[in-house]
Amino acid sequence: MKVADSNSAGGRSVTIQTKEHSSEYCTNLVRTAKYSIISFIPVNLFNQFQRIANIYFLFIAILQFIPGLSPTHWSTTVAPLVGVLTVNAVKEGYDDYFRHKSDKEVNNRKVNVLRGTAFVQMLWKELQVGDIIRVHHSEQAPADFAILSSGHEESIAYVETSNLDGETALKLKGAVFKESSTSQEHEISDLLAKVNDAVVTAELPNNDLYRFKGVIKTQEGTEIPLDPNNLILRGSSLKNTNWVMGCVVYAGRDSKILLNMTEAPHKISQLERHMNVLVAGVFTFLGVVSIILGIVSNGALAKLRTHWYMESEDKWPSFDPSFINIVVQAIRFIILLNQFIPISLYVTLELVKVIQCYFLNVDRRMYHKDSDTRFMTRTTSLNEELGQIQYVLSDKTGTLTQNVMEFVGCSIAGEVFDANDVAASMTGSDVGSDCASSYSRHKKTTGYHSISASRKLKKYIDGIHGDMKASGSLKDPKRIQVDMFLKALTLCNTVTTIDEELQKQLSQAGKDVGNYMADSPDEEALVEGVSSLGYTLTSRTKDKVNIQCPAGEQEFTQLALLGFSSERKRMSVIYKTPEGKIVIVSKGADQVMLPRCRKDNQVITTTKNHLKGMGMSGYRTLCVAYKEISDEDFNAWNTEYHQATLSMENRTQAIEKCAEMIEKDLVLLGATAVEDKLQDGVPETISMLLEAGLHVWILTGDKLETSLSVALSSMLLTDIMPVVIFRDDMLIDSDSEVAKKKNRELINMKIDETQTYKRNDQKLGLVIEGGALTIMLKPEYQQNLLLMCQLCNSVICCRMSPLQKAEVTKLVKDTGSITLAIGDGANDAGMIQSAHVGVGISGREGRAAVLASDFALAQFRFLSRLLLVHGRWSFLRNREVVLYAFYKNIAYCFPNILLACLTGVSTQPLYSAAFIATHNVCWTSLPTLANATLEQDVNPRTVVNNPDLYKITSEADRKNFFKWTAYWLSSAFWHAMVIFWVPFLAYINHDGSGKERGMWFMGAIVYTCAVVVVNLKLAMRTRYWTWITHFLTWGSIVVFFAFLAYVSSIWKSMDLFPELYGVVSVFSQPTFWLVVLLATVMCLCFDLGVDSIHRTFFPNMQHFFQQLEYLGGGKQPVSSLQSTPIHTPRQSRSNSLALSADSLDSVPSLPSVIQVISS
């Protein structure tokens, strides 16, 4: 069987089949499960032992099985290791069971396949490439297939692709053959006559959902091009169409949905990288200590050989003092002390992160009621990274703005029209800041599309109506321009009308729909806006567009469509008008449209000024142009264009070349202004992020003026903030030395300017246009670009392509700074995946960004709570998990070394296997889970009101991490000394009853002290107590005492743990309880002393707020402390986090904290 990658270089050729056949390509059988019954155990174990810690403990377990080598029983390592592996295997098996179940259900679905002249039902998994299938309304496509015919009267089909890209808006597809029959039987015979022995040539399978090129060659030799509009992808659902028939092009694992099922880039948090260094350091320490102890042990053995009971035969497992003995003793010490590295650390951390993600998902303050969208975590490995973000790189449209467009104004033939006609008389140099301020003052005063309230525009339209009614033609040049402009907006788009039946179906499904369905909110707004002015799109088919205008109902024949792309930044449609003329209508960004317009057009200069004014008001702008084409020119061009559409090699480039040929010498009609309002809470959120010390960047494809306006309204820039600007025409795009020298001079001048502002302690903004950015991303300028960006508090990059967004993100990421990218569209996916943390917004542009993200939310304003509250908590909690895991293990393992010092540096273990095997699993794990999921160092409302607290985590670098590591390890070694020597000195002669007790009794008492101390240390560091925390902390200690009593009494009945038999008798001795109490007090006094010195002489912001909360009502965070915030925007900040006003009043600000503490 031929698989996808064995296709020829030019693509694959598929012969359309109507009989049983065996395809050379892969079948439609799909398997997403990772394991089979036979492979589960070996494959799962292989995957788990990719982790170095598991290999380490496996190595220790193997050593323990060597007779005479290990000082401890093999169960002390094997039992915890098996437990860890089993937990992971059960989780993997559980997940894979449902994958198998889903695969079986999908593969056994039924589909109608043409055999001969009739359709028969077959299973999806039996489908072959080349089969003709029929899909009915509401059915899912079983494979990627080209639509040959449709049951829709217009030979079109509506599909929903939510399973592929998350978009619920219906997409319009077209059948290859336009004739449609009301009878399926007649349609089959008609189709067979056309496609009998036809060959489909298609490009090789790829994962691009929006790209497809192919050609159908009929038996007569006719070639028909195929594009994405002819392809229905596996997983899509057919809607509002009775049926479609098509030829399977890609099946099974070659289908685009399967090719997109790739694992996301593996991201590791900075904390995990620090943890890996710590693990390596502890392992090195363990190795060095074991070697030293081996050497010392060898020397001690030489001195002790004089004693008769130390004699040996110098063979395994006891050797005379020698190098071999040193090696054996070193290995024994490694085995004895192997739990210096906590075996449960990785499992505990993963479990903690899963629980933290659950709390993120159910946080009602990040739930968007209007869209019924909850917060969603798509990875569990980056929780703590949210607390260390230093750069936020954000898209604009749909991320900061609502992506709900309003057509507010336009410029036609040098005259501006808007709701109040405030700028109607402004032309030339008069348009600029005055025009911008006029627009700003009169934004959105009437109606949804306020362009319909323009009295001047309505006056022109009324005149058009009058002329058409009187003479059937237009004479006034201005009216002709207005009429052509409004018709161009109606025609130059891919918007489709929604009939009443479809509207009813969508409304019943709970979807808010209008009269139109569009891929772009901008197009929908423009079509709706001109419809309110009397130019209405009434229907659209594959090659016909009907509009209602002052001239009545008109039908335009679509001859060619040159679609929009992020590279082209424009679209064009060629029509034949009702009068028989051929015209091309184009619209797009001004930087690509104006160079393609005739230079003698007097409107260009005026329109440029209008565009500047619109941009400064924050509006999205498009230029509109047209041109009449002669029949001869069009026929010549169309021949070349048709050949380009049939090309299987470089089709996109060939079509683009044809587009360049026809999209020139256009006549500029005017420009449009569309408003996209900011989302609620965006200014407050950005203000909080900046105050938290984060650098906020906007990466957008909009023009400079629009970007600046949005930056000002979102408080990313302020009126008094100096702004350094790099425009496209400032730098020279050339590799010549002269150009490079001029570029370097300009860049250095801007750097000097930036540094001057910074020396004056001024906040600074940087604005870079896409053309200038392209030059500055070259290797010779990159470091200068980074220097300027790092000196600036806010950066706006405009006119950017999706690739540039990803490149800038990588550039910042490579500096070592932790980056977060947030966006809502498919063009943001590269940026999101390039950043350390990617956040997707569920917006109107579908869910492509969400599918590429690590976390998904509904509104930008939730980002502040995600970072400042959850991210900060997660970092502090997870760092505590890591350091506490090493602390508790070293605290109880180190006494083995102290015992060795008293026993001739032997490898005699201090603890029973019962304690070693259960230490991490039973007595110290549950309090860790409670602390890591519920602890709050300060009240969340305090963090909301004082974003500076975020700097505690965002500025915590590796140096800071190892400072904390030094504290925890010093605490561990001190506690180990105390819990060993206090019991040893207390019981050095007898146990209080006059009887001598053995080493195992001593070990049980030392271990009891260890359990109590490590749990109480964690309790001492806990500020936020819940009933769960109480239950798990005190319950772990109480259950341990019950366990100790149990294991001391089971030897006679179960022949287990004979060394612990009768140890429970210590419970009746006051000495035992006094020893436990004294050891605990001595240990915790050290921690209290260090903490007191830290808070008294070296306090940080966290200590101030904790003290104020304590003074205000107890050790728990409180919300009743009255304090007046210093910064007035704080009240509005609370709205972005859905906090009530009364709770916000109770939150202290930093100046008030300092004042209270000082007093």
Side-chain angles (χ1 to χ4, degrees):
M1 180 177 294
K2 192 174 181 180
V3 295
D5 58 3
S6 64
N7 294 285
S8 61
R12 60 166 48 174
S13 294
V14 178
T15 302
I16 297 178
Q17 301 284 350
T18 60
K19 58 185 178 181
E20 293 287 346
H21 66 283
S22 178
S23 174
E24 58 181 336
Y25 305 109
C26 68
T27 67
N28 204 41
L29 178 68
V30 168
R31 181 181 175 186
T32 60
K34 295 168 61 177
Y35 309 104
S36 65
I37 295 177
I38 297 175
S39 69
F40 176 73
I41 293 178
V43 173
N44 181 261
L45 288 177
F46 175 80
N47 290 337
Q48 291 203 61
F49 281 109
Q50 301 293 307
R51 180 170 286 169
I52 191 67
N54 289 342
I55 296 177
Y56 166 72
F57 286 108
L58 177 64
F59 173 71
I60 296 296
I62 292 172
L63 292 178
Q64 287 181 313
F65 276 104
I66 299 176
L69 178 63
S70 175
T72 57
H73 193 265
W74 56 264
S75 62
T76 58
T77 301
V78 171
L81 180 61
V82 169
V84 168
L85 297 176
T86 301
V87 168
N88 188 278
V90 169
K91 173 182 173 294
E92 286 286 311
Y94 178 80
D95 292 341
D96 210 54
Y97 165 75
F98 287 100
R99 294 191 196 103
H100 276 285
K101 189 175 181 180
S102 175
D103 289 345
K104 184 178 180 180
E105 187 273 329
V106 169
N107 287 324
N108 289 302
R109 290 177 183 173
K110 295 183 178 180
V111 61
N112 292 308
V113 182
L114 187 63
R115 287 292 178 257
T117 58
F119 281 97
V120 297
Q121 283 198 338
M122 296 174 61
L123 301 180
W124 277 25
K125 63 183 179 183
E126 299 170 342
L127 205 57
Q128 300 281 344
V129 173
D131 283 337
I132 293 179
I133 61 174
R134 183 174 64 197
V135 177
H136 293 89
H137 173 71
S138 295
E139 290 182 350
Q140 283 192 14
D144 296 352
F145 68 94
I147 313 173
L148 300 177
S149 65
S150 167
H152 194 284
E153 59 183 3
E154 303 292 348
S155 295
I156 58 175
Y158 294 97
V159 296
E160 184 181 85
T161 58
S162 57
N163 289 337
L164 285 82
D165 54 17
E167 297 186 30
T168 57
L170 299 186
K171 293 182 174 61
L172 181 66
K173 301 288 184 178
V176 174
F177 301 105
K178 301 175 184 178
E179 294 80 12
S180 178
S181 172
T182 56
S183 168
Q184 293 186 34
E185 289 72 18
H186 291 154
E187 187 71 22
I188 293 172
S189 58
D190 292 344
L191 182 62
L192 286 175
K194 297 170 185 173
V195 303
N196 189 34
D197 293 329
V199 176
V200 177
T201 303
E203 64 182 348
L204 294 176
N206 60 77
N207 62 356
D208 191 337
L209 299 177
Y210 310 104
R211 190 190 88 189
F212 174 68
K213 56 185 179 182
V215 176
I216 289 184
K217 187 173 183 179
T218 64
Q219 193 175 22
E220 292 78 17
T222 304
E223 291 185 331
I224 305 171
L226 298 175
D227 58 34
N229 291 325
N230 304 121
L231 189 71
I232 293 184
L233 303 181
R234 179 187 176 115
S236 303
S237 297
L238 188 66
K239 300 292 184 182
N240 199 44
T241 308
N242 293 329
W243 51 266
V244 293
M245 288 188 285
C247 171
V248 176
V249 180
Y250 307 121
R253 61 179 178 272
D254 284 348
S255 59
K256 291 183 181 289
I257 189 173
L258 268 296
L259 292 173
N260 273 277
M261 289 183 179
T262 56
E263 293 187 6
H266 183 57
K267 298 181 180 181
I268 301 176
S269 69
Q270 182 169 261
L271 179 63
E272 283 198 46
R273 289 191 287 269
H274 296 342
M275 182 180 73
N276 292 335
V277 174
L278 179 57
V279 169
V282 172
F283 180 76
T284 302
F285 170 79
L286 175 60
V288 171
V289 168
S290 298
I291 292 172
I292 293 173
L293 290 173
I295 295 172
V296 176
S297 175
N298 189 67
L301 180 62
K303 294 180 180 180
L304 295 173
R305 273 297 190 218
T306 57
H307 299 286
W308 61 269
Y309 54 82
M310 295 297 295
E311 294 179 357
S312 70
E313 299 179 359
D314 193 26
K315 63 180 183 180
W316 184 267
S318 300
F319 295 95
D320 287 337
S322 62
F323 177 76
I324 294 177
N325 186 62
I326 292 174
V327 173
V328 171
Q329 286 298 98
I331 293 174
R332 286 173 175 164
F333 274 111
I334 289 177
I335 296 172
L336 178 66
L337 304 175
N338 75 83
Q339 290 204 13
F340 265 45
I341 300 174
I343 190 172
S344 61
L345 172 59
Y346 290 97
V347 173
T348 302
L349 196 58
E350 286 180 6
L351 184 57
V352 161
K353 290 182 179 183
V354 168
I355 299 174
Q356 289 172 351
C357 287
Y358 168 78
F359 285 130
L360 278 168
N361 291 337
V362 299
D363 188 342
R364 288 183 293 179
R365 290 173 180 172
M366 293 195 294
Y367 166 72
H368 190 236
K369 185 178 180 180
D370 293 345
S371 61
D372 190 26
T373 305
R374 295 181 178 273
F375 182 88
M376 179 171 58
T377 55
R378 295 179 50 80
T379 180
T380 59
S381 61
L382 298 174
N383 300 8
E384 64 273 11
E385 200 84 329
L386 292 170
Q388 296 212 276
I389 302 300
Q390 294 163 312
Y391 285 83
V392 173
L393 295 88
S394 174
D395 175 44
K396 182 184 77 67
T397 304
T399 303
L400 301 179
T401 61
Q402 297 177 11
N403 210 15
V404 176
M405 309 298 179
E406 178 190 354
F407 189 5
V408 296
C410 59
S411 169
I412 306 175
E415 187 172 353
V416 176
F417 304 92
D418 67 4
N420 300 276
D421 294 314
V422 295
S425 61
M426 293 186 182
T427 59
S429 59
D430 295 333
V431 179
S433 59
D434 292 338
C435 179
S437 61
S438 298
Y439 267 116
S440 300
R441 287 196 302 268
H442 296 277
K443 282 184 182 179
K444 204 164 181 175
T445 56
T446 58
Y448 178 63
H449 294 289
S450 55
I451 186 65
S452 61
S454 172
R455 286 169 293 189
K456 277 189 170 290
L457 187 55
K458 283 189 173 181
K459 185 177 179 181
Y460 276 111
I461 295 172
D462 289 341
I464 294 171
H465 274 283
D467 288 351
M468 296 303 298
K469 190 174 182 179
S471 62
S473 63
L474 300 177
K475 305 297 183 183
D476 182 59
K478 191 75 172 184
R479 291 177 183 175
I480 293 175
Q481 292 272 30
V482 170
D483 181 67
M484 190 63 208
F485 177 85
L486 296 177
K487 281 183 179 178
L489 291 180
T490 311
L491 294 168
C492 188
N493 54 71
T494 57
V495 176
T496 58
T497 58
I498 302 178
D499 56 37
E500 293 183 1
E501 182 182 352
L502 180 56
Q503 276 188 325
K504 185 177 180 181
Q505 292 176 8
L506 294 175
S507 298
Q508 290 174 349
K511 298 178 181 178
D512 184 20
V513 295
N515 296 320
Y516 301 105
M517 186 163 54
D519 293 333
S520 163
D522 298 76
E523 283 197 339
E524 185 177 6
L526 293 173
V527 172
E528 286 180 342
V530 294
S531 178
S532 66
L533 294 169
Y535 288 75
T536 304
L537 175 66
T538 56
S539 69
R540 179 186 297 277
T541 62
K542 281 194 65 177
D543 55 2
K544 299 288 184 184
V545 176
N546 291 312
I547 68 170
Q548 182 70 41
C549 61
E553 183 81 20
Q554 290 189 331
E555 182 178 87
F556 291 78
T557 303
Q558 180 175 307
L559 303 177
L561 171 65
L562 303 172
F564 175 87
S565 70
S566 57
E567 290 77 23
R568 280 171 44 80
K569 296 183 179 179
R570 65 189 185 278
M571 74 167 295
S572 300
V573 190
I574 301 177
Y575 287 105
K576 176 170 282 190
T577 68
E579 296 81 15
K581 298 178 181 179
I582 298 177
V583 297
I584 178 173
V585 185
S586 303
K587 75 170 188 289
D590 56 283
Q591 79 267 28
V592 296
M593 289 295 297
L594 295 180
R596 289 170 170 78
C597 292
R598 294 176 186 171
K599 304 304 179 185
D600 58 351
N601 192 328
Q602 297 296 321
V603 179
I604 289 183
T605 302
T606 308
T607 305
K608 282 183 178 179
N609 290 326
H610 292 167
L611 286 166
K612 182 179 179 181
M614 294 170 181
M616 292 176 67
S617 297
Y619 297 140
R620 297 162 61 86
T621 59
L622 291 172
C623 288
V624 183
Y626 87 107
K627 179 179 72 172
E628 288 191 15
I629 308 172
S630 67
D631 291 352
E632 295 79 10
D633 290 343
F634 172 75
N635 291 332
W637 176 87
N638 193 42
T639 301
E640 190 167 343
Y641 173 72
H642 182 69
Q643 291 300 317
T645 61
L646 295 175
S647 173
M648 292 300 299
E649 296 284 339
N650 302 316
R651 177 185 292 188
T652 303
Q653 291 82 351
I655 292 177
E656 178 60 26
K657 181 180 177 181
C658 291
E660 290 288 346
M661 293 168 55
I662 200 74
E663 292 174 332
K664 62 182 181 180
D665 296 328
L666 302 173
V667 177
L668 181 66
L669 292 170
T672 62
V674 174
E675 181 185 22
D676 186 9
K677 292 186 66 179
L678 285 177
Q679 295 179 12
D680 294 337
V682 167
E684 294 79 13
T685 300
I686 289 181
S687 177
M688 292 178 71
L689 296 178
L690 292 174
E691 193 172 344
L694 278 72
H695 297 264
V696 181
W697 294 16
I698 293 179
L699 309 182
T700 177
D702 278 341
K703 61 190 300 179
L704 186 144
E705 291 81 7
T706 304
S707 304
L708 275 174
S709 176
V710 171
L712 286 166
S713 60
S714 64
M715 296 180 67
L716 184 60
L717 300 178
T718 63
D719 294 332
I720 62 172
M721 181 185 291
V723 178
V724 177
I725 297 179
F726 275 95
R727 293 185 179 272
D728 288 341
D729 55 2
M730 289 184 174
L731 297 174
I732 304 172
D733 189 7
S734 171
D735 292 330
S736 68
E737 289 302 320
V738 175
K740 288 181 179 180
K741 182 180 178 181
K742 290 184 177 180
N743 288 342
R744 279 193 292 268
E745 288 176 353
L746 177 65
I747 293 172
N748 290 333
M749 183 185 73
K750 293 289 186 180
I751 291 176
D752 292 339
E753 180 184 349
T754 305
Q755 290 174 333
T756 301
Y757 285 123
K758 293 304 289 185
R759 281 194 293 269
N760 297 329
D761 200 26
Q762 286 184 279
K763 290 187 175 181
L764 188 66
L766 175 66
V767 181
I768 310 176
E769 279 195 295
L773 184 64
T774 300
I775 298 171
M776 296 188 73
L777 283 173
K778 293 181 178 179
E780 57 264 34
Y781 307 120
Q782 277 190 7
Q783 291 306 313
N784 291 328
L785 173 63
L786 271 176
L787 176 60
M788 274 194 299
C789 290
Q790 290 170 342
L791 289 171
C792 295
N793 301 80
S794 305
V795 177
I796 298 98
C797 300
C798 46
R799 298 250 190 234
M800 296 185 74
S801 67
L803 181 60
Q804 285 180 319
K805 289 184 179 183
E807 287 178 347
V808 169
T809 304
K810 290 176 183 176
L811 188 64
V812 180
K813 181 181 177 181
D814 290 342
T815 65
S817 301
I818 308 300
T819 57
L820 179 147
I822 179 169
D824 73 313
N827 60 334
D828 302 317
M831 172 180 74
I832 288 172
Q833 290 188 329
S834 298
H836 288 97
V837 178
V839 177
I841 289 186
S842 305
R844 296 191 71 199
E845 293 191 20
R847 290 170 55 86
V850 171
L851 296 175
S853 68
D854 305 305
F855 303 92
L857 40 76
Q859 296 275 288
F860 183 84
R861 70 176 186 268
F862 299 142
L863 184 64
S864 52
R865 180 170 179 85
L866 176 64
L867 300 184
L868 273 59
V869 178
H870 288 286
R872 186 177 173 281
W873 278 347
S874 294
F875 175 80
L876 294 173
R877 292 166 175 176
N878 293 355
R879 184 179 66 183
E880 197 97 331
V881 169
V882 172
L883 297 178
Y884 178 74
F886 283 94
Y887 153 79
K888 65 184 177 66
N889 274 36
I890 292 175
Y892 107 96
C893 279
F894 191 72
N896 282 297
I897 298 178
L898 300 178
L899 177 66
C901 297
L902 302 177
T903 57
V905 199
S906 70
T907 54
Q908 172 62 46
L910 177 61
Y911 308 119
S912 165
F915 300 145
I916 300 174
T918 59
H919 177 74
N920 287 299
V921 177
C922 300
W923 320 126
T924 57
S925 58
L926 296 180
T928 305
L929 290 178
N931 180 272
T933 54
L934 301 173
E935 171 64 354
Q936 300 177 12
D937 65 318
V938 293
N939 193 290
R941 291 183 291 272
T942 304
V943 184
V944 170
N945 205 49
N946 296 273
D948 306 72
L949 279 165
Y950 186 76
K951 295 177 182 178
I952 294 173
T953 60
S954 65
E955 296 175 358
D957 54 10
R958 179 166 292 182
K959 182 179 178 182
N960 177 273
F961 176 81
F962 284 105
K963 280 183 179 179
W964 277 100
T965 301
Y967 160 73
W968 279 91
L969 294 185
S970 62
S971 179
F973 287 120
W974 167 251
H975 292 182
M977 300 282 285
V978 171
I979 64 177
F980 177 78
W981 288 112
V982 169
F984 179 80
L985 295 175
Y987 284 86
I988 191 169
N989 293 319
H990 55 78
D991 63 358
S993 65
K995 299 178 181 179
E996 293 290 345
R997 291 295 187 182
M999 180 190 60
W1000 297 114
F1001 270 61
M1002 177 65 65
I1005 296 170
V1006 171
Y1007 186 76
T1008 301
C1009 292
V1011 170
V1012 174
V1013 167
V1014 299
N1015 279 293
L1016 290 184
K1017 177 177 174 64
L1018 189 62
M1020 187 184 74
R1021 294 184 61 81
T1022 301
R1023 288 186 52 82
Y1024 187 72
W1025 286 88
T1026 67
W1027 70 267
I1028 298 176
T1029 314
H1030 280 290
F1031 179 78
L1032 295 180
T1033 301
W1034 312 121
S1036 294
I1037 297 175
V1038 171
V1039 172
F1040 168 73
F1041 281 103
F1043 171 78
L1044 183 59
Y1046 173 72
V1047 296
S1048 69
S1049 61
I1050 63 173
W1051 171 53
K1052 288 187 175 181
S1053 59
M1054 302 180 64
D1055 195 25
L1056 292 174
F1057 312 118
E1059 69 275 11
L1060 295 179
Y1061 181 69
V1063 75
V1064 72
S1065 61
V1066 298
F1067 288 0
S1068 62
Q1069 299 169 6
T1071 305
F1072 168 76
W1073 299 107
L1074 184 61
V1075 164
V1076 174
L1077 177 62
L1078 180 60
T1080 303
V1081 171
M1082 289 181 65
C1083 289
L1084 299 186
C1085 279
F1086 170 84
D1087 299 307
L1088 287 171
V1090 171
D1091 189 56
S1092 298
I1093 292 172
H1094 192 190
R1095 290 174 180 271
T1096 304
F1097 299 104
F1098 310 99
N1100 59 29
M1101 195 183 308
Q1102 182 186 38
H1103 297 147
F1104 283 127
F1105 286 108
Q1106 288 177 345
Q1107 181 70 7
L1108 186 59
E1109 289 179 351
Y1110 177 82
L1111 295 174
K1115 294 182 179 180
Q1116 295 187 34
V1118 294
S1119 59
S1120 59
L1121 185 61
Q1122 297 298 318
S1123 177
T1124 304
I1126 298 298
H1127 301 285
T1128 54
R1130 296 262 164 85
Q1131 291 291 345
S1132 56
R1133 284 184 194 152
S1134 65
N1135 296 331
S1136 69
L1137 294 180
L1139 296 175
S1140 61
D1142 58 338
S1143 66
L1144 236 179
D1145 289 336
S1146 66
V1147 182
S1149 61
L1150 181 56
S1152 60
V1153 172
I1154 297 173
Q1155 182 180 3
V1156 171
I1157 298 299
S1158 300
S1159 62

